[in-house]
Amino acid sequence: MPFFSSALSGHGRLLARGCSLALLLSLTACGGGRGFNGPLQCAPYARERTGLDLHGDAATWWRQSAGRYARSSTPRPGEVLVFRATSRMPSGHVSVVRRQISSHTILVDHANWEPGRIDVGVPVTDISPAHDWTRVRVWWAPIHAMGRRIYPTYGFISGYNAGRAS
């Protein structure tokens, strides 16, 4: 009997890990549709805040913005920071720059970084070797500190059209 219960508990642990991974992936969805947390998603939130006419998964915004909107590696208030799709965030993520604190830290507003919430004034730190905002860390409120994970980003999209890029 001890062998059976240990095999069952091992299977139960594996099942629990699989369910946890599926839940995590659904919580990080940032497309334009209804995710695990209903209609509150990062892309529609950023679109509403900035007026950018971009749709679909957040990670596709960078490609969609080519030739339509100014893009840069320098943050400015009102611009959108576009996170690349990763295994942890298959739809990517977008955040709206609130203000720049230093050359390597900005505050952003975003939806669904913490599932089902809008967070305002969240610190994001540039840790990329070239200081071009291609690798960042994001504040994680549940631990009251910068998150340990490094997230790849494309850069910033401005509400100005590409012809007026500065």
Side-chain angles (χ1 to χ4, degrees), residues 89-127:
M89 293 190 316
S91 299
H93 185 73
V94 285
S95 297
V96 179
V97 177
R98 176 173 278 270
R99 71 182 170 109
Q100 190 162 1
I101 301 297
S102 71
S103 59
H104 302 294
T105 303
I106 58 176
L107 297 180
V108 301
D109 300 344
H110 55 188
N112 212 34
W113 187 261
E114 290 184 54
R117 290 182 43 159
I118 293 174
D119 294 303
V120 176
V122 177
V124 176
T125 301
D126 172 25
I127 59 164

PDB file of all heavy atoms in Angstrom, residues 89-127:
ATOM      1  N   MET A  89       4.581  34.602 -21.032  1.00  0.00           N
ATOM      2  CA  MET A  89       3.584  35.572 -21.515  1.00  0.00           C
ATOM      3  C   MET A  89       3.408  35.362 -23.014  1.00  0.00           C
ATOM      4  O   MET A  89       3.949  36.119 -23.824  1.00  0.00           O
ATOM      5  CB  MET A  89       4.046  37.004 -21.244  1.00  0.00           C
ATOM      6  CG  MET A  89       4.113  37.385 -19.808  1.00  0.00           C
ATOM      7  SD  MET A  89       4.386  39.166 -19.528  1.00  0.00           S
ATOM      8  CE  MET A  89       5.649  39.604 -20.685  1.00  0.00           C
ATOM      9  N   PRO A  90       2.683  34.335 -23.417  1.00  0.00           N
ATOM     10  CA  PRO A  90       2.587  34.015 -24.842  1.00  0.00           C
ATOM     11  C   PRO A  90       1.940  35.104 -25.692  1.00  0.00           C
ATOM     12  O   PRO A  90       2.159  35.148 -26.901  1.00  0.00           O
ATOM     13  CB  PRO A  90       1.761  32.732 -24.884  1.00  0.00           C
ATOM     14  CG  PRO A  90       1.301  32.457 -23.512  1.00  0.00           C
ATOM     15  CD  PRO A  90       1.980  33.386 -22.568  1.00  0.00           C
ATOM     16  N   SER A  91       1.175  35.988 -25.105  1.00  0.00           N
ATOM     17  CA  SER A  91       0.552  37.082 -25.859  1.00  0.00           C
ATOM     18  C   SER A  91       1.310  38.390 -25.705  1.00  0.00           C
ATOM     19  O   SER A  91       0.897  39.422 -26.236  1.00  0.00           O
ATOM     20  CB  SER A  91      -0.889  37.287 -25.382  1.00  0.00           C
ATOM     21  OG  SER A  91      -1.641  36.133 -25.609  1.00  0.00           O
ATOM     22  N   GLY A  92       2.419  38.378 -24.966  1.00  0.00           N
ATOM     23  CA  GLY A  92       3.155  39.600 -24.699  1.00  0.00           C
ATOM     24  C   GLY A  92       2.428  40.445 -23.665  1.00  0.00           C
ATOM     25  O   GLY A  92       1.572  39.947 -22.919  1.00  0.00           O
ATOM     26  N   HIS A  93       2.777  41.724 -23.621  1.00  0.00           N
ATOM     27  CA  HIS A  93       2.173  42.644 -22.663  1.00  0.00           C
ATOM     28  C   HIS A  93       2.444  44.065 -23.146  1.00  0.00           C
ATOM     29  O   HIS A  93       3.431  44.304 -23.842  1.00  0.00           O
ATOM     30  CB  HIS A  93       2.783  42.441 -21.269  1.00  0.00           C
ATOM     31  CG  HIS A  93       2.135  43.266 -20.200  1.00  0.00           C
ATOM     32  ND1 HIS A  93       0.882  42.995 -19.703  1.00  0.00           N
ATOM     33  CD2 HIS A  93       2.571  44.369 -19.541  1.00  0.00           C
ATOM     34  CE1 HIS A  93       0.574  43.887 -18.778  1.00  0.00           C
ATOM     35  NE2 HIS A  93       1.578  44.741 -18.666  1.00  0.00           N
ATOM     36  N   VAL A  94       1.585  44.993 -22.793  1.00  0.00           N
ATOM     37  CA  VAL A  94       1.817  46.414 -23.061  1.00  0.00           C
ATOM     38  C   VAL A  94       1.526  47.219 -21.801  1.00  0.00           C
ATOM     39  O   VAL A  94       0.614  46.888 -21.043  1.00  0.00           O
ATOM     40  CB  VAL A  94       0.983  46.953 -24.247  1.00  0.00           C
ATOM     41  CG1 VAL A  94       1.547  46.475 -25.570  1.00  0.00           C
ATOM     42  CG2 VAL A  94      -0.484  46.591 -24.132  1.00  0.00           C
ATOM     43  N   SER A  95       2.336  48.248 -21.593  1.00  0.00           N
ATOM     44  CA  SER A  95       2.189  49.162 -20.461  1.00  0.00           C
ATOM     45  C   SER A  95       2.276  50.588 -20.980  1.00  0.00           C
ATOM     46  O   SER A  95       2.992  50.856 -21.944  1.00  0.00           O
ATOM     47  CB  SER A  95       3.326  48.958 -19.450  1.00  0.00           C
ATOM     48  OG  SER A  95       3.306  47.673 -18.899  1.00  0.00           O
ATOM     49  N   VAL A  96       1.594  51.506 -20.324  1.00  0.00           N
ATOM     50  CA  VAL A  96       1.611  52.921 -20.713  1.00  0.00           C
ATOM     51  C   VAL A  96       2.561  53.663 -19.773  1.00  0.00           C
ATOM     52  O   VAL A  96       2.412  53.595 -18.544  1.00  0.00           O
ATOM     53  CB  VAL A  96       0.196  53.529 -20.638  1.00  0.00           C
ATOM     54  CG1 VAL A  96       0.233  55.006 -21.034  1.00  0.00           C
ATOM     55  CG2 VAL A  96      -0.772  52.753 -21.522  1.00  0.00           C
ATOM     56  N   VAL A  97       3.527  54.379 -20.358  1.00  0.00           N
ATOM     57  CA  VAL A  97       4.494  55.121 -19.558  1.00  0.00           C
ATOM     58  C   VAL A  97       3.789  56.300 -18.887  1.00  0.00           C
ATOM     59  O   VAL A  97       3.147  57.117 -19.535  1.00  0.00           O
ATOM     60  CB  VAL A  97       5.666  55.645 -20.423  1.00  0.00           C
ATOM     61  CG1 VAL A  97       6.631  56.477 -19.571  1.00  0.00           C
ATOM     62  CG2 VAL A  97       6.391  54.484 -21.093  1.00  0.00           C
ATOM     63  N   ARG A  98       3.918  56.365 -17.569  1.00  0.00           N
ATOM     64  CA  ARG A  98       3.359  57.478 -16.793  1.00  0.00           C
ATOM     65  C   ARG A  98       4.394  58.590 -16.680  1.00  0.00           C
ATOM     66  O   ARG A  98       4.109  59.752 -16.952  1.00  0.00           O
ATOM     67  CB  ARG A  98       2.960  56.982 -15.407  1.00  0.00           C
ATOM     68  CG  ARG A  98       2.460  58.075 -14.485  1.00  0.00           C
ATOM     69  CD  ARG A  98       1.914  57.501 -13.196  1.00  0.00           C
ATOM     70  NE  ARG A  98       0.548  57.046 -13.368  1.00  0.00           N
ATOM     71  CZ  ARG A  98      -0.519  57.808 -13.166  1.00  0.00           C
ATOM     72  NH1 ARG A  98      -0.378  59.054 -12.788  1.00  0.00           N
ATOM     73  NH2 ARG A  98      -1.716  57.332 -13.335  1.00  0.00           N
ATOM     74  N   ARG A  99       5.598  58.235 -16.257  1.00  0.00           N
ATOM     75  CA  ARG A  99       6.682  59.227 -16.190  1.00  0.00           C
ATOM     76  C   ARG A  99       8.021  58.533 -16.014  1.00  0.00           C
ATOM     77  O   ARG A  99       8.092  57.374 -15.604  1.00  0.00           O
ATOM     78  CB  ARG A  99       6.452  60.259 -15.103  1.00  0.00           C
ATOM     79  CG  ARG A  99       6.598  59.794 -13.700  1.00  0.00           C
ATOM     80  CD  ARG A  99       6.281  60.952 -12.747  1.00  0.00           C
ATOM     81  NE  ARG A  99       6.188  60.483 -11.401  1.00  0.00           N
ATOM     82  CZ  ARG A  99       7.087  60.745 -10.458  1.00  0.00           C
ATOM     83  NH1 ARG A  99       8.123  61.487 -10.721  1.00  0.00           N
ATOM     84  NH2 ARG A  99       6.919  60.275  -9.238  1.00  0.00           N
ATOM     85  N   GLN A 100       9.081  59.268 -16.324  1.00  0.00           N
ATOM     86  CA  GLN A 100      10.429  58.745 -16.174  1.00  0.00           C
ATOM     87  C   GLN A 100      10.997  59.237 -14.848  1.00  0.00           C
ATOM     88  O   GLN A 100      10.948  60.431 -14.546  1.00  0.00           O
ATOM     89  CB  GLN A 100      11.307  59.196 -17.345  1.00  0.00           C
ATOM     90  CG  GLN A 100      12.638  58.501 -17.360  1.00  0.00           C
ATOM     91  CD  GLN A 100      13.328  58.588 -18.711  1.00  0.00           C
ATOM     92  OE1 GLN A 100      12.827  59.189 -19.652  1.00  0.00           O
ATOM     93  NE2 GLN A 100      14.494  57.972 -18.792  1.00  0.00           N
ATOM     94  N   ILE A 101      11.521  58.295 -14.071  1.00  0.00           N
ATOM     95  CA  ILE A 101      12.085  58.601 -12.758  1.00  0.00           C
ATOM     96  C   ILE A 101      13.583  58.874 -12.867  1.00  0.00           C
ATOM     97  O   ILE A 101      14.117  59.762 -12.212  1.00  0.00           O
ATOM     98  CB  ILE A 101      11.849  57.420 -11.783  1.00  0.00           C
ATOM     99  CG1 ILE A 101      10.362  57.146 -11.633  1.00  0.00           C
ATOM    100  CG2 ILE A 101      12.510  57.637 -10.448  1.00  0.00           C
ATOM    101  CD1 ILE A 101       9.589  58.294 -11.039  1.00  0.00           C
ATOM    102  N   SER A 102      14.263  58.060 -13.679  1.00  0.00           N
ATOM    103  CA  SER A 102      15.698  58.207 -13.921  1.00  0.00           C
ATOM    104  C   SER A 102      15.983  57.652 -15.310  1.00  0.00           C
ATOM    105  O   SER A 102      15.068  57.202 -15.996  1.00  0.00           O
ATOM    106  CB  SER A 102      16.507  57.439 -12.860  1.00  0.00           C
ATOM    107  OG  SER A 102      16.377  56.042 -13.061  1.00  0.00           O
ATOM    108  N   SER A 103      17.241  57.655 -15.701  1.00  0.00           N
ATOM    109  CA  SER A 103      17.565  57.155 -17.044  1.00  0.00           C
ATOM    110  C   SER A 103      17.271  55.658 -17.183  1.00  0.00           C
ATOM    111  O   SER A 103      17.149  55.161 -18.299  1.00  0.00           O
ATOM    112  CB  SER A 103      19.029  57.436 -17.383  1.00  0.00           C
ATOM    113  OG  SER A 103      19.873  56.807 -16.442  1.00  0.00           O
ATOM    114  N   HIS A 104      17.118  54.958 -16.068  1.00  0.00           N
ATOM    115  CA  HIS A 104      16.878  53.515 -16.133  1.00  0.00           C
ATOM    116  C   HIS A 104      15.587  53.074 -15.452  1.00  0.00           C
ATOM    117  O   HIS A 104      15.345  51.877 -15.338  1.00  0.00           O
ATOM    118  CB  HIS A 104      18.055  52.748 -15.514  1.00  0.00           C
ATOM    119  CG  HIS A 104      19.351  53.051 -16.175  1.00  0.00           C
ATOM    120  ND1 HIS A 104      19.616  52.709 -17.485  1.00  0.00           N
ATOM    121  CD2 HIS A 104      20.449  53.691 -15.732  1.00  0.00           C
ATOM    122  CE1 HIS A 104      20.827  53.101 -17.804  1.00  0.00           C
ATOM    123  NE2 HIS A 104      21.354  53.714 -16.758  1.00  0.00           N
ATOM    124  N   THR A 105      14.783  54.009 -14.996  1.00  0.00           N
ATOM    125  CA  THR A 105      13.532  53.632 -14.311  1.00  0.00           C
ATOM    126  C   THR A 105      12.382  54.526 -14.770  1.00  0.00           C
ATOM    127  O   THR A 105      12.524  55.745 -14.832  1.00  0.00           O
ATOM    128  CB  THR A 105      13.683  53.734 -12.776  1.00  0.00           C
ATOM    129  OG1 THR A 105      14.767  52.901 -12.356  1.00  0.00           O
ATOM    130  CG2 THR A 105      12.412  53.283 -12.069  1.00  0.00           C
ATOM    131  N   ILE A 106      11.274  53.866 -15.084  1.00  0.00           N
ATOM    132  CA  ILE A 106      10.048  54.573 -15.439  1.00  0.00           C
ATOM    133  C   ILE A 106       8.915  54.064 -14.559  1.00  0.00           C
ATOM    134  O   ILE A 106       9.033  53.008 -13.926  1.00  0.00           O
ATOM    135  CB  ILE A 106       9.668  54.381 -16.932  1.00  0.00           C
ATOM    136  CG1 ILE A 106       9.506  52.887 -17.274  1.00  0.00           C
ATOM    137  CG2 ILE A 106      10.670  55.060 -17.836  1.00  0.00           C
ATOM    138  CD1 ILE A 106       9.045  52.602 -18.691  1.00  0.00           C
ATOM    139  N   LEU A 107       7.842  54.828 -14.516  1.00  0.00           N
ATOM    140  CA  LEU A 107       6.604  54.366 -13.893  1.00  0.00           C
ATOM    141  C   LEU A 107       5.606  54.128 -15.010  1.00  0.00           C
ATOM    142  O   LEU A 107       5.496  54.947 -15.930  1.00  0.00           O
ATOM    143  CB  LEU A 107       6.056  55.408 -12.921  1.00  0.00           C
ATOM    144  CG  LEU A 107       6.922  55.743 -11.715  1.00  0.00           C
ATOM    145  CD1 LEU A 107       6.224  56.791 -10.843  1.00  0.00           C
ATOM    146  CD2 LEU A 107       7.241  54.504 -10.901  1.00  0.00           C
ATOM    147  N   VAL A 108       4.902  53.002 -14.938  1.00  0.00           N
ATOM    148  CA  VAL A 108       3.908  52.675 -15.958  1.00  0.00           C
ATOM    149  C   VAL A 108       2.558  52.394 -15.310  1.00  0.00           C
ATOM    150  O   VAL A 108       2.471  52.101 -14.116  1.00  0.00           O
ATOM    151  CB  VAL A 108       4.330  51.443 -16.798  1.00  0.00           C
ATOM    152  CG1 VAL A 108       5.659  51.670 -17.499  1.00  0.00           C
ATOM    153  CG2 VAL A 108       4.360  50.171 -15.960  1.00  0.00           C
ATOM    154  N   ASP A 109       1.527  52.485 -16.127  1.00  0.00           N
ATOM    155  CA  ASP A 109       0.186  52.044 -15.755  1.00  0.00           C
ATOM    156  C   ASP A 109      -0.123  50.866 -16.669  1.00  0.00           C
ATOM    157  O   ASP A 109       0.186  50.921 -17.873  1.00  0.00           O
ATOM    158  CB  ASP A 109      -0.839  53.147 -15.997  1.00  0.00           C
ATOM    159  CG  ASP A 109      -0.562  54.412 -15.203  1.00  0.00           C
ATOM    160  OD1 ASP A 109       0.231  54.361 -14.232  1.00  0.00           O
ATOM    161  OD2 ASP A 109      -1.138  55.456 -15.557  1.00  0.00           O
ATOM    162  N   HIS A 110      -0.672  49.806 -16.116  1.00  0.00           N
ATOM    163  CA  HIS A 110      -1.023  48.678 -16.964  1.00  0.00           C
ATOM    164  C   HIS A 110      -2.111  47.824 -16.330  1.00  0.00           C
ATOM    165  O   HIS A 110      -2.360  47.903 -15.135  1.00  0.00           O
ATOM    166  CB  HIS A 110       0.192  47.836 -17.348  1.00  0.00           C
ATOM    167  CG  HIS A 110       1.023  47.332 -16.215  1.00  0.00           C
ATOM    168  ND1 HIS A 110       2.221  46.705 -16.416  1.00  0.00           N
ATOM    169  CD2 HIS A 110       0.851  47.327 -14.876  1.00  0.00           C
ATOM    170  CE1 HIS A 110       2.745  46.348 -15.267  1.00  0.00           C
ATOM    171  NE2 HIS A 110       1.930  46.713 -14.322  1.00  0.00           N
ATOM    172  N   ALA A 111      -2.743  47.033 -17.175  1.00  0.00           N
ATOM    173  CA  ALA A 111      -3.818  46.148 -16.735  1.00  0.00           C
ATOM    174  C   ALA A 111      -3.349  44.700 -16.826  1.00  0.00           C
ATOM    175  O   ALA A 111      -2.614  44.321 -17.731  1.00  0.00           O
ATOM    176  CB  ALA A 111      -5.052  46.335 -17.613  1.00  0.00           C
ATOM    177  N   ASN A 112      -3.784  43.924 -15.856  1.00  0.00           N
ATOM    178  CA  ASN A 112      -3.626  42.476 -15.841  1.00  0.00           C
ATOM    179  C   ASN A 112      -2.196  41.986 -15.667  1.00  0.00           C
ATOM    180  O   ASN A 112      -1.917  40.826 -15.947  1.00  0.00           O
ATOM    181  CB  ASN A 112      -4.268  41.854 -17.092  1.00  0.00           C
ATOM    182  CG  ASN A 112      -4.824  40.477 -16.790  1.00  0.00           C
ATOM    183  OD1 ASN A 112      -5.308  40.224 -15.700  1.00  0.00           O
ATOM    184  ND2 ASN A 112      -4.746  39.590 -17.758  1.00  0.00           N
ATOM    185  N   TRP A 113      -1.274  42.834 -15.217  1.00  0.00           N
ATOM    186  CA  TRP A 113       0.052  42.303 -14.839  1.00  0.00           C
ATOM    187  C   TRP A 113      -0.155  41.445 -13.590  1.00  0.00           C
ATOM    188  O   TRP A 113       0.357  40.353 -13.488  1.00  0.00           O
ATOM    189  CB  TRP A 113       1.032  43.436 -14.575  1.00  0.00           C
ATOM    190  CG  TRP A 113       2.432  42.948 -14.350  1.00  0.00           C
ATOM    191  CD1 TRP A 113       3.062  42.772 -13.150  1.00  0.00           C
ATOM    192  CD2 TRP A 113       3.373  42.557 -15.356  1.00  0.00           C
ATOM    193  NE1 TRP A 113       4.328  42.295 -13.346  1.00  0.00           N
ATOM    194  CE2 TRP A 113       4.554  42.158 -14.693  1.00  0.00           C
ATOM    195  CE3 TRP A 113       3.330  42.507 -16.743  1.00  0.00           C
ATOM    196  CZ2 TRP A 113       5.690  41.712 -15.376  1.00  0.00           C
ATOM    197  CZ3 TRP A 113       4.459  42.073 -17.421  1.00  0.00           C
ATOM    198  CH2 TRP A 113       5.619  41.678 -16.732  1.00  0.00           C
ATOM    199  N   GLU A 114      -0.897  42.015 -12.662  1.00  0.00           N
ATOM    200  CA  GLU A 114      -1.437  41.223 -11.566  1.00  0.00           C
ATOM    201  C   GLU A 114      -2.848  40.884 -12.014  1.00  0.00           C
ATOM    202  O   GLU A 114      -3.632  41.785 -12.320  1.00  0.00           O
ATOM    203  CB  GLU A 114      -1.457  42.016 -10.268  1.00  0.00           C
ATOM    204  CG  GLU A 114      -0.081  42.253  -9.711  1.00  0.00           C
ATOM    205  CD  GLU A 114      -0.158  42.962  -8.385  1.00  0.00           C
ATOM    206  OE1 GLU A 114      -0.858  42.465  -7.487  1.00  0.00           O
ATOM    207  OE2 GLU A 114       0.449  44.027  -8.285  1.00  0.00           O
ATOM    208  N   PRO A 115      -3.162  39.626 -12.102  1.00  0.00           N
ATOM    209  CA  PRO A 115      -4.415  39.194 -12.727  1.00  0.00           C
ATOM    210  C   PRO A 115      -5.655  39.944 -12.243  1.00  0.00           C
ATOM    211  O   PRO A 115      -5.896  40.074 -11.048  1.00  0.00           O
ATOM    212  CB  PRO A 115      -4.493  37.715 -12.363  1.00  0.00           C
ATOM    213  CG  PRO A 115      -3.062  37.310 -12.228  1.00  0.00           C
ATOM    214  CD  PRO A 115      -2.375  38.495 -11.609  1.00  0.00           C
ATOM    215  N   GLY A 116      -6.383  40.487 -13.229  1.00  0.00           N
ATOM    216  CA  GLY A 116      -7.641  41.142 -12.955  1.00  0.00           C
ATOM    217  C   GLY A 116      -7.547  42.537 -12.378  1.00  0.00           C
ATOM    218  O   GLY A 116      -8.548  43.091 -11.940  1.00  0.00           O
ATOM    219  N   ARG A 117      -6.344  43.147 -12.396  1.00  0.00           N
ATOM    220  CA  ARG A 117      -6.162  44.466 -11.780  1.00  0.00           C
ATOM    221  C   ARG A 117      -5.612  45.484 -12.764  1.00  0.00           C
ATOM    222  O   ARG A 117      -4.907  45.135 -13.697  1.00  0.00           O
ATOM    223  CB  ARG A 117      -5.151  44.362 -10.638  1.00  0.00           C
ATOM    224  CG  ARG A 117      -5.624  43.617  -9.439  1.00  0.00           C
ATOM    225  CD  ARG A 117      -4.588  43.615  -8.352  1.00  0.00           C
ATOM    226  NE  ARG A 117      -3.964  44.936  -8.198  1.00  0.00           N
ATOM    227  CZ  ARG A 117      -3.340  45.352  -7.130  1.00  0.00           C
ATOM    228  NH1 ARG A 117      -3.244  44.544  -6.093  1.00  0.00           N
ATOM    229  NH2 ARG A 117      -2.797  46.530  -7.059  1.00  0.00           N
ATOM    230  N   ILE A 118      -5.906  46.748 -12.487  1.00  0.00           N
ATOM    231  CA  ILE A 118      -5.214  47.856 -13.136  1.00  0.00           C
ATOM    232  C   ILE A 118      -4.252  48.406 -12.099  1.00  0.00           C
ATOM    233  O   ILE A 118      -4.658  48.740 -10.987  1.00  0.00           O
ATOM    234  CB  ILE A 118      -6.205  48.945 -13.594  1.00  0.00           C
ATOM    235  CG1 ILE A 118      -7.086  48.405 -14.720  1.00  0.00           C
ATOM    236  CG2 ILE A 118      -5.452  50.208 -14.028  1.00  0.00           C
ATOM    237  CD1 ILE A 118      -8.182  49.345 -15.142  1.00  0.00           C
ATOM    238  N   ASP A 119      -2.987  48.484 -12.449  1.00  0.00           N
ATOM    239  CA  ASP A 119      -1.969  49.011 -11.547  1.00  0.00           C
ATOM    240  C   ASP A 119      -1.442  50.324 -12.114  1.00  0.00           C
ATOM    241  O   ASP A 119      -1.164  50.434 -13.307  1.00  0.00           O
ATOM    242  CB  ASP A 119      -0.830  48.007 -11.381  1.00  0.00           C
ATOM    243  CG  ASP A 119      -1.293  46.751 -10.663  1.00  0.00           C
ATOM    244  OD1 ASP A 119      -1.802  46.868  -9.542  1.00  0.00           O
ATOM    245  OD2 ASP A 119      -1.156  45.657 -11.237  1.00  0.00           O
ATOM    246  N   VAL A 120      -1.303  51.316 -11.248  1.00  0.00           N
ATOM    247  CA  VAL A 120      -0.909  52.665 -11.637  1.00  0.00           C
ATOM    248  C   VAL A 120       0.414  53.013 -10.956  1.00  0.00           C
ATOM    249  O   VAL A 120       0.594  52.753  -9.769  1.00  0.00           O
ATOM    250  CB  VAL A 120      -2.008  53.674 -11.229  1.00  0.00           C
ATOM    251  CG1 VAL A 120      -1.587  55.101 -11.530  1.00  0.00           C
ATOM    252  CG2 VAL A 120      -3.313  53.335 -11.934  1.00  0.00           C
ATOM    253  N   GLY A 121       1.330  53.616 -11.721  1.00  0.00           N
ATOM    254  CA  GLY A 121       2.607  54.054 -11.161  1.00  0.00           C
ATOM    255  C   GLY A 121       3.514  52.909 -10.765  1.00  0.00           C
ATOM    256  O   GLY A 121       4.173  52.955  -9.731  1.00  0.00           O
ATOM    257  N   VAL A 122       3.599  51.892 -11.604  1.00  0.00           N
ATOM    258  CA  VAL A 122       4.401  50.692 -11.325  1.00  0.00           C
ATOM    259  C   VAL A 122       5.825  50.891 -11.847  1.00  0.00           C
ATOM    260  O   VAL A 122       6.015  51.205 -13.028  1.00  0.00           O
ATOM    261  CB  VAL A 122       3.767  49.463 -12.014  1.00  0.00           C
ATOM    262  CG1 VAL A 122       4.619  48.222 -11.809  1.00  0.00           C
ATOM    263  CG2 VAL A 122       2.352  49.243 -11.521  1.00  0.00           C
ATOM    264  N   PRO A 123       6.844  50.718 -11.001  1.00  0.00           N
ATOM    265  CA  PRO A 123       8.229  50.865 -11.465  1.00  0.00           C
ATOM    266  C   PRO A 123       8.641  49.761 -12.441  1.00  0.00           C
ATOM    267  O   PRO A 123       8.328  48.591 -12.245  1.00  0.00           O
ATOM    268  CB  PRO A 123       9.058  50.765 -10.181  1.00  0.00           C
ATOM    269  CG  PRO A 123       8.108  51.080  -9.079  1.00  0.00           C
ATOM    270  CD  PRO A 123       6.778  50.564  -9.545  1.00  0.00           C
ATOM    271  N   VAL A 124       9.326  50.180 -13.505  1.00  0.00           N
ATOM    272  CA  VAL A 124       9.943  49.270 -14.474  1.00  0.00           C
ATOM    273  C   VAL A 124      11.373  49.756 -14.638  1.00  0.00           C
ATOM    274  O   VAL A 124      11.613  50.951 -14.847  1.00  0.00           O
ATOM    275  CB  VAL A 124       9.211  49.298 -15.833  1.00  0.00           C
ATOM    276  CG1 VAL A 124       9.936  48.427 -16.854  1.00  0.00           C
ATOM    277  CG2 VAL A 124       7.763  48.847 -15.673  1.00  0.00           C
ATOM    278  N   THR A 125      12.328  48.823 -14.542  1.00  0.00           N
ATOM    279  CA  THR A 125      13.744  49.179 -14.619  1.00  0.00           C
ATOM    280  C   THR A 125      14.396  48.550 -15.843  1.00  0.00           C
ATOM    281  O   THR A 125      14.241  47.356 -16.094  1.00  0.00           O
ATOM    282  CB  THR A 125      14.489  48.725 -13.349  1.00  0.00           C
ATOM    283  OG1 THR A 125      13.873  49.354 -12.219  1.00  0.00           O
ATOM    284  CG2 THR A 125      15.947  49.099 -13.394  1.00  0.00           C
ATOM    285  N   ASP A 126      15.132  49.371 -16.581  1.00  0.00           N
ATOM    286  CA  ASP A 126      15.900  48.914 -17.742  1.00  0.00           C
ATOM    287  C   ASP A 126      17.180  48.242 -17.238  1.00  0.00           C
ATOM    288  O   ASP A 126      17.970  48.869 -16.542  1.00  0.00           O
ATOM    289  CB  ASP A 126      16.248  50.119 -18.618  1.00  0.00           C
ATOM    290  CG  ASP A 126      17.200  49.788 -19.756  1.00  0.00           C
ATOM    291  OD1 ASP A 126      17.243  48.616 -20.185  1.00  0.00           O
ATOM    292  OD2 ASP A 126      17.889  50.715 -20.223  1.00  0.00           O
ATOM    293  N   ILE A 127      17.357  46.987 -17.590  1.00  0.00           N
ATOM    294  CA  ILE A 127      18.583  46.278 -17.196  1.00  0.00           C
ATOM    295  C   ILE A 127      19.340  45.774 -18.424  1.00  0.00           C
ATOM    296  O   ILE A 127      20.234  44.940 -18.303  1.00  0.00           O
ATOM    297  CB  ILE A 127      18.284  45.108 -16.238  1.00  0.00           C
ATOM    298  CG1 ILE A 127      17.339  44.109 -16.888  1.00  0.00           C
ATOM    299  CG2 ILE A 127      17.721  45.617 -14.916  1.00  0.00           C
ATOM    300  CD1 ILE A 127      17.318  42.776 -16.182  1.00  0.00           C
TER     301      ILE A 127
END
